[in-house]
Amino acid sequence: MSVNHQSRDERIVGLWLVACCVVLVALVLVGGATRLTGSGLSMVYWQPLSVLPPLTESAWQAEFDAYRASPEYQQVNVGMSLDEFKFIFWWEFGHRLLARGLGLLFALPLAWFWWRGMLPVRLRWPMLGLLALGGLQAWMGWYMVQSGLVDIPRVSPYRLAAHLGLALLILVIMLRLAIGLLWTRPPPQAAEGVRRGIRASLVLGALTILSGAFVAGLKAGLVFNTFPLMGGQIVPPGAWALEPAWRNLFENPGLVQFIHRVLALATLAAVLTTWWLGRTSSDPRLRRLLTAVALIALAQVTLGITTLLMAVPIGLALVHQGTAVVLLGSLVIADFAAKAPHRAEATSGRPVAATG
């Protein structure tokens, strides 16, 4: 294969991965809306191969009857009408349908690229790994829903965090592979402090999002709607009320919200410190990226505080969640831009596409 054809093929594959990332971000937002509207337990069966909603009144009634046998209807939504049920059903159905659409968007082009020889050999195992993670994510989604279909009508915060965390892992891997295919110039070597700062910000940002999943799962955003104090204190009252003590870190709404606040502010501090260290970088591209990351982080913390003070309105909460994902993605891009060049790039001077 000629160099031009190889470059063209890698660009096509890279753009396809970017498209998959965009759909995945949309899927995360639809999942957030599904949770915020209380729709996540409206479909009590998995049926992974089903792509059609109820098409007749009798089919709708059968779906509604199945939901009425669930704990959520009997303990939370007793007396709900069929029309009200349809509202929450469509959110969950749309979330599942979009997830299956993303699976097809990934699997079918992957098979085509592989068959046509357009997929770089170095990416074959990573792509198969992503395909396996996608299958695991589908199962994890149902495993999460199952936790709310028995006894207590609320999904497990642990399973919710695992479901979201797996989605973010897939997003980070896909985005990193896409950048490596599309960004053909070798990244310049940034100062060690800048690279470490970006990595620290990336880890803290990911932990903040995962802690946000526990906040969402426990509805902890509704327990202390003041800032910076919680119940008149820095650390909320009753922070260690559960036994054994470790449960408070994941199951005590007040302490879970406090941890989310601390992680968010730590992420902001790491991002701003990294921006300050990189403001004199000789690479204007890296300087612009770090400035963009800093602005996104400032916006995200502002959105988080506003969402909290307003008692978590759905629209603002979704913007807050979406901005968190954008911040994570921007840090992945910044990490690539700041990395040291490969040995082959440094010695030959030829632009070699990063492999991810």
Side-chain angles (χ1 to χ4, degrees):
M1 181 184 293
S2 69
V3 174
N4 287 339
H5 280 171
Q6 183 178 7
S7 177
R8 182 202 63 188
D9 289 348
E10 291 194 356
R11 182 170 180 79
I12 291 172
V13 173
L15 291 173
W16 159 65
L17 286 172
V18 169
C20 290
C21 289
V22 171
V23 176
L24 181 52
V25 171
L27 182 60
V28 170
L29 291 178
V30 172
T34 301
R35 174 182 50 77
L36 289 166
T37 56
S39 306
L41 300 177
S42 58
M43 296 177 68
V44 298
Y45 304 115
W46 188 17
Q47 299 175 324
L49 300 181
S50 175
V51 294
L52 293 176
L55 298 177
T56 65
E57 281 304 309
S58 61
W60 274 112
Q61 191 61 51
E63 197 77 42
F64 188 31
D65 288 343
Y67 176 68
R68 289 197 295 183
S70 71
E72 182 175 72
Y73 176 85
Q74 295 171 0
Q75 299 179 37
V76 180
N77 290 330
V78 64
M80 170 182 277
S81 68
L82 178 59
D83 286 339
E84 290 171 328
F85 168 71
K86 288 180 179 180
F87 174 79
I88 63 173
F89 177 92
W90 281 120
W91 272 113
E92 175 64 7
F93 179 82
H95 181 55
R96 296 190 188 190
L97 189 63
L98 185 59
R100 290 163 189 165
L102 176 57
L104 292 176
L105 178 62
F106 185 83
L108 295 181
L110 174 61
W112 172 261
F113 293 143
W114 199 309
W115 179 62
R116 297 286 296 177
M118 298 172 63
L119 190 69
V121 174
R122 69 182 186 276
L123 296 187
R124 290 181 178 179
W125 279 110
M127 291 298 184
L128 290 176
L130 280 172
L131 194 62
L133 286 175
L136 178 61
Q137 174 71 336
W139 175 83
M140 180 59 72
W142 174 243
Y143 183 62
M144 177 189 69
V145 169
Q146 275 186 315
S147 66
L149 297 178
V150 293
D151 302 328
I152 301 175
R154 184 190 70 192
V155 298
S156 162
Y158 296 96
R159 298 187 191 186
L160 175 60
H163 186 50
L164 177 60
L166 193 52
L168 295 178
L169 176 63
I170 294 171
L171 176 65
V172 167
I173 294 173
M174 283 201 302
L175 182 59
R176 183 61 181 80
L177 293 175
I179 300 167
L181 291 168
L182 296 172
W183 205 328
T184 55
R185 287 190 301 163
Q189 183 174 3
E192 182 67 23
V194 173
R195 295 204 306 277
R196 289 180 177 177
I198 293 173
R199 293 287 173 88
S201 300
L202 188 56
V203 171
L204 286 169
L207 290 175
T208 304
I209 296 176
L210 290 179
S211 75
F214 283 94
V215 171
L218 296 169
K219 296 186 178 179
L222 300 175
V223 293
F224 291 102
N225 297 106
T226 56
F227 188 87
L229 299 181
M230 304 175 71
Q233 304 174 193
I234 295 178
V235 179
W240 299 100
L242 301 180
E243 294 291 343
W246 67 264
R247 288 180 54 208
N248 292 280
L249 300 173
F250 306 101
E251 300 176 27
N252 185 318
L255 186 59
V256 165
Q257 190 197 121
F258 174 75
I259 291 171
H260 186 60
R261 293 183 182 205
V262 170
L263 286 172
L265 293 175
T267 302
L268 177 62
V271 167
L272 293 180
T273 300
T274 305
W275 168 78
W276 179 259
L277 292 174
R279 76 193 189 284
T280 58
S281 169
S282 60
D283 180 22
R285 176 179 53 182
L286 180 59
R287 292 200 307 271
R288 289 193 297 268
L289 270 172
L290 292 177
T291 299
V293 170
L295 291 174
I296 295 169
L298 284 167
Q300 174 64 350
V301 169
T302 303
L303 281 168
I305 295 172
T306 306
T307 301
L308 177 71
L309 296 177
M310 296 181 66
V312 197
I314 291 177
L316 199 57
L318 286 177
V319 175
H320 180 53
Q321 181 172 318
T323 307
V325 178
V326 171
L327 176 60
L328 188 70
S330 67
L331 284 167
V332 172
I333 297 172
D335 180 57
F336 180 86
K339 67 185 283 292
H342 293 301
R343 186 179 303 275
E345 297 168 351
T347 55
S348 70
R350 295 193 305 272
V352 180
T355 63

